[in-house]
Amino acid sequence: MYRIDISKLIYLTIYELKLFAVAKVNGKNTLAYLDTGATQVTVSQKMAKQLPRTGKTKIRSAFGEEEFETVSVNVEFLENQLANVKARIRNDDVSTPFQTDITLDGNILFERPLIYDFHILGLLPAEEVNTKEWNEISSKFLDKGLCILKMNIRGNTVNALFDTGAGITVINSRHVEENRFILKKGYEMEITDATGTKSKQMINICRGLQIGGIEHPPFDSIVIDLQDIEEPLGERIDLVFGANAMLRSGLRWLFNKARGKVYIIQ
């Protein structure tokens, strides 16, 4: 049976399909944006004003590439303390109802065994969890800090990037026909990617996805060519499994990068 230690639980704050949790940055508490699809930490311009520049870095997305200045910060998240973390500076600070000075990437979020509980909307350290009753998902952790999972759609196995930073799930247009995704056109909305690029996209309802033998409820998705993501990773990406699908599922996910294991349970 899945049980939790409430004393160690950190509740998620959800805003516009973005996931936030408490972290310390340079010794001060703040709400951190959680982005397991990011390969580098990001800080706000406000925070960067207090820090010396350390160089520049380029970030690629499905919509293009952009260069950012970098700084060094100290981060503490779920008792994991990391010093001199290289971080890029956001070009624009997005206005939200609360202060968010930092985005944590997959390197930090997968550093220690961790449970993402989308039933009670919380995070929990998972070092001592008995996984006997959990369903193991075939997975691959990349050096860049990303995690690719095996999911199924109509009998086909698909590679899915677990990306809490993607508000809407993305289906790769390069493989959509061979994977036989069941999509129904819905409505149009403006999407902003990791580089800040905005574009209008058609939202499709996706059905028939299975994860570890568990049928996923229908969820919104967009269809985009992900070649610019696949090439630098050297991996096939059929699906970017985003926050909207995670929240819709209500599943509990356990990630243990040290053992190369991922589990789910209802």
Side-chain angles (χ1 to χ4, degrees):
M1 180 180 295
Y2 172 70
R3 297 177 181 176
I4 61 172
D5 183 349
I6 295 295
S7 66
K8 296 182 179 180
L9 181 71
I10 295 179
Y11 285 103
L12 290 168
T13 297
I14 314 295
Y15 176 71
E16 292 187 346
L17 297 176
K18 293 180 173 63
L19 311 182
F20 301 85
V22 175
K24 282 188 176 181
V25 183
N26 291 339
K28 297 181 179 179
N29 287 326
T30 186
L31 274 176
Y33 176 34
L34 311 183
D35 187 357
T36 58
T39 57
Q40 191 171 43
V41 170
T42 304
V43 297
S44 67
Q45 293 188 31
K46 176 183 176 182
M47 174 173 286
K49 289 180 180 179
Q50 310 167 25
L51 304 169
R53 303 304 197 260
T54 58
K56 294 185 178 181
T57 187
K58 289 184 178 180
I59 301 295
R60 296 183 68 176
S61 75
F63 300 117
E65 183 178 80
E66 193 166 348
E67 188 173 70
F68 297 84
E69 289 188 291
T70 60
V71 293
S72 179
V73 295
N74 299 322
V75 179
E76 182 178 341
F77 182 66
L78 286 173
E79 300 180 351
N80 188 19
Q81 299 183 25
L82 301 167
N84 301 318
V85 175
K86 182 180 179 180
R88 66 180 173 96
I89 304 170
R90 279 202 306 262
N91 285 343
D92 296 303
D93 283 348
V94 180
S95 176
T96 63
F98 38 77
Q99 184 63 44
T100 55
D101 283 324
I102 192 165
T103 297
L104 302 183
D105 66 350
N107 293 295
I108 291 178
L109 297 172
F110 292 134
E111 175 70 17
R112 289 186 173 181
L114 180 67
I115 290 173
Y116 283 83
D117 191 321
F118 293 109
H119 182 71
I120 59 174
L121 301 181
L123 301 176
L124 186 71
E127 283 88 351
E128 300 178 2
V129 173
N130 185 343
T131 58
K132 184 178 180 181
E133 297 183 7
W134 292 64
N135 297 329
E136 184 175 350
I137 306 299
S138 180
S139 59
K140 182 177 183 179
F141 289 90
L142 306 184
D143 293 338
K144 292 179 179 291
L146 307 178
C147 181
I148 297 177
L149 307 169
K150 297 291 185 182
M151 299 183 183
N152 292 278
I153 185 82
R154 302 181 70 186
N156 294 320
T157 300
V158 296
N159 286 344
L161 178 66
F162 187 88
D163 187 357
T164 58
I168 302 292
T169 294
V170 180
I171 294 172
N172 193 345
S173 62
R174 298 173 65 83
H175 312 306
V176 67
E177 291 186 4
E178 63 179 289
N179 287 327
R180 300 190 297 167
F181 279 99
I182 306 172
L183 302 175
K184 181 180 178 180
K185 288 186 177 181
Y187 56 95
E188 192 175 69
M189 73 178 293
E190 188 174 72
I191 303 293
T192 303
D193 78 344
T195 67
T197 303
K198 296 181 178 181
S199 67
K200 287 189 176 181
Q201 300 290 333
M202 174 60 67
I203 304 299
N204 304 277
I205 299 173
C206 181
R207 302 176 184 272
L209 187 69
Q210 287 193 338
I211 309 171
I214 299 174
E215 188 79 18
H216 195 291
F219 56 90
D220 289 351
S221 63
I222 59 176
V223 179
I224 297 175
D225 188 332
L226 297 180
Q227 181 178 7
D228 287 341
I229 302 297
E230 290 180 309
E231 287 184 350
L233 291 180
E235 300 285 343
R236 173 171 169 142
I237 304 294
D238 299 288
L239 176 77
V240 176
F241 191 70
N244 70 310
M246 299 172 192
L247 295 168
R248 184 82 173 88
S249 73
L251 294 172
R252 286 89 178 231
W253 299 74
L254 191 162
F255 294 88
N256 191 326
K257 183 179 179 180
R259 295 183 180 179
K261 302 287 186 180
V262 177
Y263 305 86
I264 62 168
I265 195 170
Q266 289 182 304

